[in-house]
């Protein structure tokens, strides 16, 4: 690749994970980083991710072949104004934000459209900061690229090569189409999750029965409500037009559902549920979305001393590592449930097979 030196403006979860992944795959590349928090820079130097740390955006970035803007959009725009004074004309500029229109409009205003390619790695975590960065976070994740109107083809090609080299999957989209797509598949689900949790909270009785009895279905659909409120407030503001449009369509779809339920239109409900099931089941499972996939099994357990210890001993004997586990007090589809979180799909499959052979009832997911 023509890219030999890469700069990072911001070393949070995504910026740090990108830098670590590039360091793992391209150990000879020179990585330069700037971050508002000095502790992240120190950590990145100590673990060998960065070759050079900067406490300001200055001429040190003039040597970069590519620069990743990994801060919030408003901060990235301010940094672009500073970088414009020092970077070369053949330096590839990019960002990692989940909304693209705002940054592209700023790039055009600054006259940098001929060297900018927007980027959005569709992976993440409920956690944040460089301390939680992982060199495998972006593995098998879609990495959307949104070139500018004047972006040279060679810049897009170099970017695609870099993305593929860290085992992400590059996908090229128009930036406005990107925002329309992510409004539906990423931003709307977060709004729904937050709204649903608040609806249940406000509908609960004084004893908190809904909170106590909330089971697998509710927790699965609202898991993303544990994400950063500040980040999602900013995303809603930055992508407000596309998000408001898809919210309007969702509200109309809910109204149709409400009418069908009130009128006992069973045929409509059946067709809608079947259509959704077919489309959902046809979605690819191997790629990561905005949050890492969890590999879980659920095991029926007897209410007797040592029951959980027996299960953990069985899995340990087969060198299956348990990442987390917990007992659920509510029992939606079985008598009593032990939730076990495993590190990957192979571990989950092996654990399920072993426990079933010992006559345990095991559920997936």
């Amino acid at each position: 690749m023509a890219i030999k030196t890469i700069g990072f403006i911001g070393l949070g979860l995504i910026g740090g994970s990108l830098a670590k992944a590039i360091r793992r795959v391209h150990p000879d590349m020179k990585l330069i980083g700037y971050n508002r928090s000095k502790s992240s820079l120190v950590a990145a130097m100590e673990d060998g991710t960065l070759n050079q740390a900067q406490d300001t955006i200055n001429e040190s970035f003039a040597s970069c072949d590519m620069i990743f803007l990994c801060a919030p959009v408003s901060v990235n725009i301010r940094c672009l104004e500073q970088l414009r004074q020092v970077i070369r004309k053949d330096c590839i500029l990019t960002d990692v934000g989940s909304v693209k229109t705002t940054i592209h409009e700023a790039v055009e205003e600054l006259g940098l459209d001929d060297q900018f390619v927007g980027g959005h790695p569709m992976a993440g975590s409920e956690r944040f900061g460089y301390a939680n960065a992982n060199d495998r976070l972006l593995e098998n994740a879609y990495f959307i690229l949104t070139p500018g109107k004047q972006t040279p083809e060679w810049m897009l090609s170099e970017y695609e090569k870099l993305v593929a080299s860290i085992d992400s999957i590059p996908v090229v989209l128009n930036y406005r189409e990107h925002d329309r797509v992510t409004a539906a598949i990423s931003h709307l689900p977060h709004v729904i999750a937050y709204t649903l949790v608040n609806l249940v909270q406000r509908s609960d009785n004084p004893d908190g029965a809904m909170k106590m009895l909330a089971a697998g279905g509710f927790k699965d659909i609202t898991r993303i409500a544990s994400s950063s409120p500040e980040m999602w407030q900013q995303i809603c503001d930055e992508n407000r037009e596309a998000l408001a449009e898809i919210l309007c369509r969702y509200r109309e779809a809910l109204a149709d559902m409400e009418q069908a339920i009130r009128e006992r239109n069973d045929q409509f409900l059946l067709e809608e549920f079947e259509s959704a099931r077919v489309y959902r089941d046809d979605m690819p499972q191997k790629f990561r979305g905005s949050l890492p996939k969890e590999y879980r099994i659920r095991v029926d357990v007897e209410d007797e001393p040592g029951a959980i210890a027996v299960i953990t001993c069985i899995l340990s004997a087969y060198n299956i590592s348990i990442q987390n586990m917990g007992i659920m007090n509510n029992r939606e589809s079985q008598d009593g449930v032990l939730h076990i979180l495993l590190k990957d799909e192979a571990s989950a499959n092996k654990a399920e097979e072993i426990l079933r052979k010992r006559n345990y009832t095991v559920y997936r997911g």
Side-chain angles (χ1 to χ4, degrees), residues 96-301:
V96 296
S98 65
V99 180
K100 301 266 71 82
T101 300
T102 307
I103 189 74
H104 271 274
E105 289 175 347
V107 164
E108 290 176 15
E109 290 180 10
L110 291 168
L112 294 169
D113 195 36
D114 60 347
Q115 58 188 120
F116 183 81
V117 183
H120 178 201
M122 297 193 70
S125 170
E126 301 94 326
R127 300 172 180 173
F128 56 89
Y130 185 80
N132 294 298
N134 187 320
D135 67 354
R136 302 280 181 175
L137 183 69
L138 308 183
E139 203 170 63
N140 291 327
Y142 286 117
F143 201 123
I144 302 177
L145 307 181
T146 59
K149 296 175 184 176
Q150 307 299 325
T151 304
E153 185 61 35
W154 73 264
M155 285 191 175
L156 179 60
S157 177
E158 285 296 309
Y159 200 167
E160 289 182 291
K161 291 177 188 175
L162 180 67
V163 168
S165 74
I166 61 171
D167 295 323
S168 292
I169 301 95
V171 177
V172 179
L173 284 179
N174 171 275
Y175 66 85
R176 295 189 187 278
E177 179 65 6
H178 166 278
D179 287 356
R180 189 186 75 85
V181 169
T182 54
I185 65 170
S186 176
H187 306 165
L188 177 63
H190 279 81
V191 171
I192 291 171
Y194 285 120
T195 305
L196 179 55
V197 171
N198 283 329
L199 174 64
V200 168
Q201 175 183 318
R202 292 160 188 161
S203 304
D204 210 350
N205 62 26
D207 294 329
M210 290 184 181
K211 183 178 181 180
M212 178 181 69
L213 298 173
F218 179 82
K219 290 184 176 179
D220 285 345
I221 200 174
T222 60
R223 175 178 167 238
I224 52 179
S226 294
S227 300
S228 167
E230 293 80 7
M231 180 182 74
W232 282 99
Q233 177 272 317
Q234 293 171 6
I235 288 173
C236 288
D237 182 54
E238 292 160 5
N239 202 25
R240 56 188 177 278
E241 292 184 9
L243 182 53
E245 173 63 26
I246 198 68
L247 269 169
C248 179
R249 294 177 62 187
Y250 182 65
R251 186 172 64 248
E252 292 170 354
L254 281 179
D256 291 341
M257 279 289 184
E258 178 187 359
Q259 181 179 357
I261 291 170
R262 289 186 183 279
E263 297 176 356
R264 295 185 174 180
N265 188 342
D266 295 341
Q267 186 60 35
F268 175 86
L269 294 175
L270 183 61
E271 290 175 358
E272 286 292 291
F273 295 161
E274 177 62 15
S275 173
R277 184 192 68 79
V278 170
Y279 187 78
R280 174 63 177 81
D281 288 350
D282 195 43
M283 290 181 178
Q285 299 297 314
K286 66 180 289 190
F287 302 123
R288 293 181 180 175
S290 60
L291 292 177
K293 183 175 180 179
E294 288 189 344
Y295 301 96
R296 294 179 293 168
I297 62 172
R298 297 176 292 160
V299 187
D300 280 1
V301 292

